Amino acid sequence: MAADLAFYFDFMSPYSYLAQSQIRPLAERTGAVLRYEPVPVRGLMERVGNRPTTMECQNKLAYAMQDMGRWAAHYAIPFAPGAKLRQTDAGLLLRGALAARDKDLIAPYTHLIFEALWGEGKDLSEPGLIAAVLDEAGLPGAQLMEEASDAARADELEKAADLAAEKGLFGTPSFLLGGTLYFGNDRLGFLEEALKRQAA
């Protein structure tokens, strides 16, 4: 039986961007079934008493930007966060992911949004701009943004944060393999080793 691998992410997490560039090929190499789990990381952190120290400490933020650049170079992917990043509605992007999941489009949606936001520096600060990026890639952008505006989607995100906290998560990117948690882009090696052992 193929292993169930859950990938918890928030689009405003740059380390989630790095991890998403590797998680799909990792799942393919190991035969795992990959599940995408959008979760509001700030809400999750508040629930478990965690703090966004990278945003609170300027020295740590400066280092993190260098570190992310190193990882991007290591993965041979672009890293170019846009000027409108702080104006981006993270909740809207996550609600769009929920709408995409209902249409079995969450994998392409997730990778497309991450790459547009962190790899290409595109302005996703308005629903119309997000829809245009999705439309260009052949996804139903306007429809997904319309469904993302449904108040029920916000409730879904709150429940996702509750469930993630109950499962022991405290940030993103996180991966659950069975009941075992792996946190961070830099733990993908350990995750792959565990998946290979499980498949053996």
Side-chain angles (χ1 to χ4, degrees), residues 38-101:
V39 61
V41 68
R42 287 294 185 95
L44 170 60
M45 293 174 80
E46 288 171 2
R47 282 164 170 77
V48 299
N50 196 6
R51 291 168 51 202
T53 55
T54 301
M55 303 306 297
E56 296 173 0
C57 173
Q58 289 302 308
N59 284 3
K60 187 174 181 180
L61 177 60
Y63 172 79
M65 293 300 292
Q66 294 178 20
D67 186 55
M68 288 179 268
R70 293 186 190 114
W71 275 106
H74 177 68
Y75 290 151
I77 60 173
F79 180 65
K84 291 291 187 71
L85 193 61
R86 291 185 181 276
Q87 284 76 51
T88 301
D89 184 344
L92 177 62
L93 294 177
L94 290 169
R95 296 193 302 273
L98 294 174
R101 183 165 64 188

Side-chain angles (χ1 to χ4, degrees), residues 1 18 33 36 44 61 71 74 83 93 109 112 117 125 128-129 136 140-141 154 156 170 173 187 196 199:
M1 176 182 285
L18 294 167
V33 176
Y36 292 81
L44 170 60
L61 177 60
W71 275 106
H74 177 68
L93 294 177
Y109 175 97
L112 181 64
L117 199 61
S125 62
L129 297 172
E136 186 178 353
E156 283 186 65
F170 54 88
R187 297 302 189 268
K196 288 179 177 177

